[in-house]
Amino acid sequence: MPTFLSSPDMGSSKEIVMSGIRPTGFLHLGNYFGAIRNYVKMQEDYECYFMVADLHSLTTHPDTKELKSHVHRVLAENIACGLDPDKVSLYCQSQVHQTCELYLYLNMLAYKGELEKTATFKEKVRLSPDNVNAGLLTYPVLQAADILLHRATYVPVGKDQEQHLEMARNFAKRFNHRYGEVFPEPVAFNFSNELIKVPSLDGSGKMSKSENQMSTLYLSDDDEIIQKKVMKAWTDSGPASRDSVKPPYIENLFLLMKLVSAGEVHNHYEKAFNDCTIRYGDMKKQLAADMVNFIAPIRERVNEILNNEKYLQSVMETGAEKARKSGEKTMKLVRKAIGLNYY
Ligand code: AMP
């Protein structure tokens, strides 16, 4: 284990957790199971920093007309899912200016070639060839700055973030090697022991804020639309022989059922699949009902919270203050390690 420089009053001895969600649309089951569910569990035992990543959203969403309402919604959705702003620091990325300073230093340790090879960069270039800006290229550097700013060790994220976390570790290692040990090497985290990718209902890709909207279940969907989306999910006439391998679109339904239904319900349909008695219409009806039970209370709490703008503002202010304090402690170490202390 490397030893880390400690600041004069690091305060808490708990391990540090950091993660963020971009305000680019309504949150969905992928965000919940990949990220937020872990945040809620971790808030009890760790020192947690969770943010709305508004600066990241500018790399792909230059039009900011909806930004404020999306920032409020992401905050409200996090709180409605069980995040307690008194236990964690829940803040907005742009309100913690130390992040941008660290981003600048880390940019000197990131190489153009490795950034160009990042899978998410290549995908975004494919989707928006007319907006290949430098912010998009250096997205993993800003993400590393978000994490390293709090010297976090655990980062609860979905499977799509694995490569970014590896890059954050590389930047931390390079910094430590060049200037002396300041940063721990952060690892991606999920309570289920493996990182999760919640698939879309049509079996093509993952649930997403902006793509596959009719195949993505949002935390804001009403009961009727949830039922409609689940009942439309692709199935077939059922397995032809016992203990068959499930095709991917059927595997997806089982995965979603595992996430929101009771264990015995999931087992019942597993058994029915294996002995070829399964009726997918019944399975989807059950899944739709369980999904409604899961999403409806969250949706209702979100609407209540969104009506209280003053409360959201105070959450953001308090969260940013805690995050700036933590960030400034790290930046003192960083500036000193680099040699930017002239007095
Ligand atoms: P984003 O929506 O890209 O800002 O991601 C916010 C968090 O949700 C990140 O930790 C992602 O890894 C996670 N996430 C997004 N979509 C999914 C998905 N379909 N399955 C699992 N995790 C996801």
Side-chain angles (χ1 to χ4, degrees):
M1 276 292 279
T3 49
F4 304 111
L5 285 178
S6 61
S7 63
D9 61 337
M10 271 330 245
S12 164
S13 58
K14 288 178 177 176
E15 283 188 282
I16 299 171
V17 171
M18 196 282 147
S19 193
I21 298 183
R22 290 170 306 146
T24 48
F26 289 40
L27 300 196
H28 50 79
L29 278 196
N31 297 128
Y32 181 85
F33 287 105
I36 302 174
R37 178 174 63 164
N38 296 288
Y39 302 178
V40 173
K41 281 193 183 184
M42 293 178 108
Q43 69 183 337
E44 303 302 333
D45 299 315
Y46 298 87
E47 181 180 325
C48 295
Y49 297 89
F50 298 125
M51 65 163 196
V52 185
D54 56 343
L55 299 178
H56 281 290
S57 77
L58 296 178
T59 60
T60 48
H61 291 63
D63 182 349
T64 52
K65 274 199 294 293
E66 308 278 334
L67 185 59
K68 185 175 172 188
S69 74
H70 281 312
V71 166
H72 282 189
R73 175 162 282 278
V74 174
L75 285 170
E77 287 181 324
N78 271 283
I79 298 166
C81 289
L83 209 62
D84 180 348
D86 290 333
K87 291 187 180 154
V88 305
S89 160
L90 183 56
Y91 64 99
C92 195
Q93 187 185 26
S94 60
Q95 296 184 333
V96 180
H97 58 269
Q98 288 88 349
T99 311
C100 299
E101 187 187 348
L102 183 55
Y103 167 58
L104 183 89
Y105 302 145
L106 295 179
N107 266 321
M108 322 295 180
L109 298 164
Y111 300 109
K112 181 170 158 273
E114 67 184 334
L115 296 171
E116 281 170 342
K117 273 193 269 167
T118 315
T120 47
F121 175 69
K122 288 200 267 187
E123 175 66 4
K124 284 172 183 166
V125 170
R126 194 182 64 75
L127 291 173
S128 311
D130 298 331
N131 185 24
V132 184
N133 58 74
L136 205 59
L137 182 68
T138 55
Y139 189 108
V141 188
L142 181 56
Q143 186 172 346
D146 297 325
I147 299 164
L148 300 179
L149 185 69
H150 303 295
R151 305 205 307 164
T153 44
Y154 293 119
V155 186
V157 282
K159 193 157 175 56
D160 57 322
Q161 296 295 319
E162 228 168 3
Q163 190 182 23
H164 288 179
L165 259 291
E166 194 185 329
M167 294 174 86
R169 282 194 293 280
N170 286 338
F171 301 145
K173 271 191 267 196
R174 280 178 213 162
F175 185 99
N176 291 345
H177 186 249
R178 188 172 294 175
Y179 299 118
E181 296 283 340
V182 171
F183 297 118
E185 289 172 28
V187 291
F189 183 88
N190 190 296
F191 268 99
S192 69
N193 285 334
E194 54 182 41
L195 298 186
I196 282 186
K197 173 179 126 181
V198 178
S200 69
L201 286 164
D202 63 4
S204 72
K206 58 173 189 155
M207 289 199 184
S208 148
K209 292 204 208 90
S210 47
E211 293 159 56
N212 286 327
Q213 294 193 348
M214 269 319 283
S215 302
T216 292
L217 290 160
Y218 294 93
L219 301 178
S220 54
D221 281 345
D222 66 31
D223 296 356
E224 205 179 313
I225 192 95
I226 296 170
Q227 266 149 356
K228 206 160 143 192
K229 285 180 178 176
V230 173
M231 293 315 287
K232 265 185 60 187
W234 183 254
T235 53
D236 54 29
S237 53
S241 57
R242 291 180 78 91
D243 301 320
S244 307
V245 174
K246 296 186 189 93
Y249 47 90
I250 298 296
E251 186 70 53
N252 288 352
L253 284 184
F254 275 93
L255 198 145
L256 290 171
M257 187 165 244
K258 198 165 188 180
L259 293 175
V260 298
S261 304
E264 56 270 29
V265 171
H266 180 262
N267 292 345
H268 166 80
Y269 285 100
E270 275 288 348
K271 189 170 165 291
F273 179 87
N274 287 332
D275 63 21
C276 305
T277 57
I278 193 156
R279 290 158 53 133
Y280 289 130
D282 292 348
M283 180 181 179
K284 287 198 282 188
K285 260 191 221 150
Q286 176 72 51
L287 179 61
D290 292 339
M291 203 55 92
V292 165
N293 282 338
F294 180 79
I295 289 178
I298 297 178
R299 182 186 65 225
E300 283 154 22
R301 277 201 298 279
V302 170
N303 291 336
E304 278 166 31
I305 297 167
L306 279 177
N307 280 331
N308 193 345
E309 203 168 315
K310 265 207 171 123
Y311 168 69
L312 284 177
Q313 222 162 355
S314 85
V315 166
M316 262 195 279
E317 276 170 19
T318 316
E321 213 172 292
K322 285 193 238 172
R324 281 193 294 265
K325 207 168 155 207
S326 149
E328 192 49 36
K329 279 179 185 169
T330 302
M331 290 317 294
K332 282 199 173 113
L333 300 175
V334 167
R335 292 179 205 121
K336 189 167 173 220
I338 297 179
L340 297 166
N341 51 330
Y342 306 124
Y343 309 108

